[in-house]
């Protein structure tokens, strides 16, 4: 698959709406997988592009000192040289392959995409610091291996916890197939709805009960080894009967869409939206650290699961004070197994270092408390169900009355862009947008990856949108509402595949794409350009070290596949160290280096 950037396409947005990078220019070298997203997102934010021969990206103008950035796959000499080797080294192949029982590469450039979004974050953060009157970071370095560690950070935390997973790692999981052969994703967060759905299809009670826990924990384990009879039951019913069972029980189903279908309905919208609110003056700026550009800022986060908590986590790494709004009794996910020193390892991966305030959003008094907190904050970030903030009178317009300078950020599922959209969860969005087709090569059936691709990328988009909103606030003197979504993340991830559809090419990866090679004691992954030549060598009887030596002696690039995530803590290939927090949980390095 070619890694060059697709041509820039026309995007639709309201006329005469100021954008954060209006009147700023950026210089960028030739297009590559690592710079595709950087160029596209900076354009969408209003930046003007000048092509140069430099390997660095430079952004400046309109009174701003230049902020430069450089992207790399990994540390020099590490053997991490492209998407395939980055996925192999960071454990992405291992986690994506759990449902198959062996490591598999993602057919999309997930780490290059994430690296691009992180690079834009770093550039925006540097400009925000300058706009606040500080001397923020002037150079940003991002590497795909650190993006990979961020993507697997929850899985890494669980692998190194004090106790085992609540559900064992094993082969299996959705999607299901109807009697007509329609492949569909099933979603519910309610055990009663799960039971009601399968009961309506006459599934055995013991299989129904045994299947719930693996299904519930598939977001955490990236697999769902539930009884195979559930697949068999689904295949005996037509899709219409399956839809009826879902509607009656409260579950939801979504047939997998093809990339060609997504290409025909793609509206070219930006992956986030920004809208000016009331004029407002931010609180007096405090001294800004050159490497912590959001120091002195406060983010209120009312987030659940991954998307919003990850966005707030990134803002915290950039120096913001993050205060979590949790229900009475605290976030129940703090106790989600496995634990490190009594606290959920996964929860720590996204929430360590945050403060917490317990708020009962159903209580009028507590909602007044929340408005009081928002009056002193810079950002309010949430991922409540659509319409919930307005119902509680905590949406952008209500909070702007308390704090006109607030950036109100919502990380949702569909951004109101898809009619009759199903539940806005990671796997449903993968199914509806064609990601399930894009992540698997042509010789494998389409299926959403159980690695939470869009929750992670959606969290990155959320942080990027907040930074863009902060910069727009500083430049216009208005509060800002920003909205990002899992759909926007899917569009960013799928842009090259959708462009291939428009050109009349097959958008799916070819058979065997990014499939690691078995050795006597593990797996190796050739780089994408070397994969075809590497397939000519029989490496099955050789140990990993000898197999790598053989390929490299013939001028081919390959690296070992990390299969045990706990090995990442001592992997010399990685560009940053993995540490430990006060609970003993692993801490991946910050995704950027700021100078």
């Amino acid at each position: 698959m070619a890694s060059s950037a697709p041509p820039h396409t026309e995007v639709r947005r309201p006329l005469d709406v100021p954008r954060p990078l209006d009147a700023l220019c950026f210089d960028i070298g030739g297009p590559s997988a690592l710079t595709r997203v950087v160029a596209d997102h900076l354009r969408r934010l209003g930046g003007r592009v000048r092509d140069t021969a430099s390997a660095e990206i430079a952004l400046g103008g309109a009174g701003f000192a230049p902020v430069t950035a450089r992207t790399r796959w990994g540390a020099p000499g590490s053997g991490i040289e492209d998407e395939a080797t980055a996925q192999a080294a960071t454990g992405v192949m291992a986690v994506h392959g759990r449902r198959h029982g062996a490591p598999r590469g993602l057919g999309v450039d997930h780490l290059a995409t994430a690296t691009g979004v992180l690079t834009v974050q770093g550039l925006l953060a540097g400009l925000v610091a300058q706009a606040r009157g500080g001397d923020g970071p002037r150079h940003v370095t991002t590497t795909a291996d650190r993006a990979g560690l961020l993507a697997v950070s929850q899985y890494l935390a669980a692998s190194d916890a004090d106790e085992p997973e609540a559900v064992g790692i094993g082969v299996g999981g959705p999607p299901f197939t109807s009697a007509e052969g329609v492949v569909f994703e099933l979603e519910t967060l309610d055990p009663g709805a799960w039971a009601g759905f399968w009961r309506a299809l006459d599934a055995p009670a013991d299989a129904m009960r045994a299947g719930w826990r693996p299904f519930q924990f598939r977001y955490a384990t990236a697999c769902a080894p539930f009884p195979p009879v559930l697949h068999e039951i689904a295949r005996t019913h037509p899709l219409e009967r399956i839809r009826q069972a879902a509607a009656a029980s409260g579950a939801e189903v979504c047939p997998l869409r093809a990339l060609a279908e997504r290409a025909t309905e793609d509206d070219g919208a930006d992956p986030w939206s920004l809208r000016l609110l009331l004029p407002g003056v931010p609180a007096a700026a405090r001294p800004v650290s050159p490497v912590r550009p959001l120091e002195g800022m406060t983010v209120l986060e009312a987030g659940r699961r991954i998307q919003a908590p990850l966005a707030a986590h990134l803002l915290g790494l950039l120096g913001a004070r993050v205060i979590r709004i949790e229900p009475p009794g605290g976030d129940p996910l703090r106790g989600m197994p496995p634990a490190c020193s009594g606290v959920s390892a996964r929860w720590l991966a996204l929430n360590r270092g945050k403060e917490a305030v317990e708020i009962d959003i159903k209580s009028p008094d507590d909602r007044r408390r929340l408005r009081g907190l928002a009056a002193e904050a810079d950002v309010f970030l949430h991922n409540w169900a659509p319409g919930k903030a307005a119902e509680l009178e905590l949406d952008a317009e209500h909070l702007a009355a308390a704090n006109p300078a607030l950036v109100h950020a919502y990380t949702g599922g569909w951004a109101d862009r898809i009619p009759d959209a199903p539940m806005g969860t990671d796997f449903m969005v993968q199914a509806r947008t064609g990601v399930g087709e894009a992540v698997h090569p042509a010789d494998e059936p389409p299926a959403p990856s159980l690695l939470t691709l869009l929750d992670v990328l959606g969290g990155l988009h959320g942080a990027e949108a907040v930074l863009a909103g902060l910069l727009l606030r500083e430049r216009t003197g208005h509060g800002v509402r920003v909205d990002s979504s899992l759909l926007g993340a899917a569009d960013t991830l799928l842009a090259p595949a959708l462009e291939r559809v428009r050109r009349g090419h097959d958008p799916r990866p070819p058979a065997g794409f990014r499939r690691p090679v078995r050795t006597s004691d593990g797996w190796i992954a050739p780089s994408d350009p070397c994969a075809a030549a590497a397939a000519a060598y029989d490496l099955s009887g050789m140990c990993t070290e000898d197999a790598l030596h053989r390929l490299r002696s013939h001028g081919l690039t390959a690296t070992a596949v990390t299969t045990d995530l706990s090995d990442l803590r001592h992997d010399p290939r990685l560009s940053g160290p993995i540490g430990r927090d006060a609970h003993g949980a692993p801490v991946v390095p910050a995704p950027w280096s700021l100078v």
Side-chain angles (χ1 to χ4, degrees):
M1 287 170 44
S3 61
S4 59
H8 178 56
T9 55
E10 186 91 16
V11 296
R12 301 177 187 175
R13 61 173 62 86
L15 298 176
D16 301 322
V17 174
R19 291 176 288 171
L21 300 183
D22 281 345
L24 276 78
C25 297
F26 72 95
D27 299 330
I28 190 167
S32 71
L34 287 173
T35 59
R36 171 185 69 84
V37 171
V38 180
D40 179 59
H41 283 204
L42 292 180
R43 284 191 189 100
R44 290 175 182 269
L45 290 169
R48 292 180 293 173
V49 184
R50 298 182 299 208
D51 293 326
T52 71
S54 171
E56 287 190 335
I57 302 159
L59 181 61
F64 289 93
V67 181
T68 62
R70 181 184 291 268
T71 61
R72 298 189 179 100
W73 289 107
S78 65
I80 301 174
E81 299 183 8
D82 73 340
E83 179 75 28
T85 50
Q87 288 187 23
T90 58
V92 168
M93 283 188 175
V95 177
H96 173 59
R98 284 179 177 178
R99 67 181 307 149
H100 303 287
R104 301 283 179 93
L106 290 163
V108 290
D109 289 346
H110 182 56
L111 300 189
T113 303
T115 303
V117 177
L118 289 163
T119 302
V120 176
Q121 289 176 15
L123 290 166
L124 290 172
L127 294 176
V128 168
Q130 290 189 51
R132 297 171 63 207
D135 184 19
R138 298 295 175 85
H139 188 77
V140 180
T141 300
T142 54
T143 54
D145 68 330
R146 293 198 188 188
L149 292 178
L150 184 66
V152 302
S153 59
Q154 294 185 82
Y155 309 98
L156 168 61
S159 73
D160 222 13
D162 300 337
E163 58 187 13
E165 292 275 11
V167 176
I169 304 299
V171 176
F176 300 92
T177 305
S178 72
E180 310 96 328
V182 176
V183 181
F184 66 92
E185 186 67 43
L186 172 69
E187 184 64 282
T188 178
L189 307 178
D190 177 10
W194 166 268
F197 173 80
W198 290 109
R199 190 180 300 116
L201 299 181
D202 300 319
D206 56 346
M208 181 196 316
R209 286 191 296 268
W212 166 246
R213 198 162 172 82
F215 180 85
Q216 175 192 25
F217 275 87
R218 72 197 191 284
Y219 282 90
T221 61
C223 60
F226 47 65
V229 69
L230 296 181
H231 283 287
E232 297 167 14
I233 291 292
R235 283 193 289 267
T236 65
H237 294 280
L239 182 63
E240 182 56 33
R241 178 72 189 93
I242 289 167
R243 288 187 187 275
Q244 292 170 358
S249 65
E252 294 195 33
V253 298
C254 179
L256 268 63
R257 294 287 189 99
L259 289 164
E261 294 178 88
R262 178 63 191 149
T264 60
E265 69 176 5
D266 183 17
D267 57 5
D270 293 337
W272 12 241
S273 63
L274 295 88
R275 178 165 61 87
L276 295 184
L277 299 172
L278 300 175
V281 179
R286 301 177 188 176
V288 179
S289 163
V291 294
R292 290 175 60 83
L294 301 189
E295 197 165 283
M297 289 186 161
T298 298
V299 175
L300 292 182
E301 176 224 319
R304 300 173 299 170
R305 294 183 175 269
I306 299 173
Q307 190 183 9
L310 175 57
H313 172 67
L314 291 167
L315 298 172
L317 292 178
L318 289 168
R321 175 193 182 197
V322 180
I323 303 174
R324 276 180 57 77
I325 306 302
E326 299 188 0
D331 186 347
L333 293 182
R334 288 177 184 264
M336 182 182 183
C340 286
S341 301
V343 181
S344 169
R346 289 192 180 86
W347 189 90
L348 287 168
L350 300 180
N351 296 295
R352 69 169 55 87
K354 298 177 183 178
E355 303 172 36
V357 175
E358 294 184 14
I359 296 282
D360 181 0
I361 58 175
K362 298 178 182 178
S363 162
D365 288 342
D366 273 15
R367 289 200 296 274
R368 279 192 288 271
R369 285 179 58 210
L370 180 51
R371 292 188 193 97
L373 291 170
E376 303 298 325
D378 296 276
V379 178
F380 177 66
L381 167 68
H382 73 94
N383 64 346
W384 291 328
K388 188 70 173 178
E391 176 188 326
L392 297 171
E393 297 187 348
L394 295 172
D395 60 4
E397 284 70 25
H398 286 99
L399 293 183
N403 180 358
L406 188 69
V407 172
H408 185 286
Y410 177 53
T411 59
W414 297 104
D416 296 325
R417 290 172 48 205
I418 299 290
D420 300 320
M423 190 184 306
T425 61
D426 187 309
F427 305 141
M428 294 294 263
V429 179
Q430 285 196 52
R432 179 63 177 75
T433 59
V435 173
E437 187 176 65
V439 295
H440 291 281
D443 56 340
E444 295 179 11
S449 174
L450 290 179
L451 171 66
T452 50
L453 299 180
L454 299 186
D455 272 338
V456 169
L457 195 53
L460 268 60
H461 278 68
E464 179 187 37
V466 168
L467 289 162
L470 288 169
L471 182 58
L472 187 59
R473 179 188 75 170
E474 299 296 332
R475 297 193 72 187
T476 64
H478 283 253
V480 182
R481 171 169 176 161
V482 301
D483 290 77
S484 61
S485 65
L486 299 179
L487 176 60
D491 287 345
T492 299
L493 184 64
L494 292 177
L498 297 179
E499 187 61 32
R500 289 195 294 274
V501 172
R502 297 183 188 103
R503 291 174 171 175
H505 301 155
D506 185 351
R508 292 195 70 187
F513 185 68
R514 289 183 186 153
R515 192 167 296 156
V517 179
R518 193 78 166 94
T519 65
S520 64
D521 61 349
W523 301 83
I524 62 172
S527 64
D528 286 339
C530 297
Y537 298 91
D538 181 7
L539 308 174
S540 58
M542 305 177 71
C543 69
T544 298
E545 185 178 351
D546 290 345
L548 289 173
H549 177 74
R550 183 176 186 187
L551 292 181
R552 289 166 180 167
S553 69
H554 288 87
L556 303 178
T557 302
T559 197
V561 177
T562 297
T563 54
D564 184 346
L565 298 190
S566 61
D567 291 342
L568 290 170
R569 291 186 53 244
H570 309 289
D571 195 322
R573 293 174 293 179
L574 302 177
S575 64
I578 296 174
R580 295 273 190 186
D581 66 12
H583 296 273
V587 180
V588 301
W592 340 257
S593 296
L594 306 177
V595 179

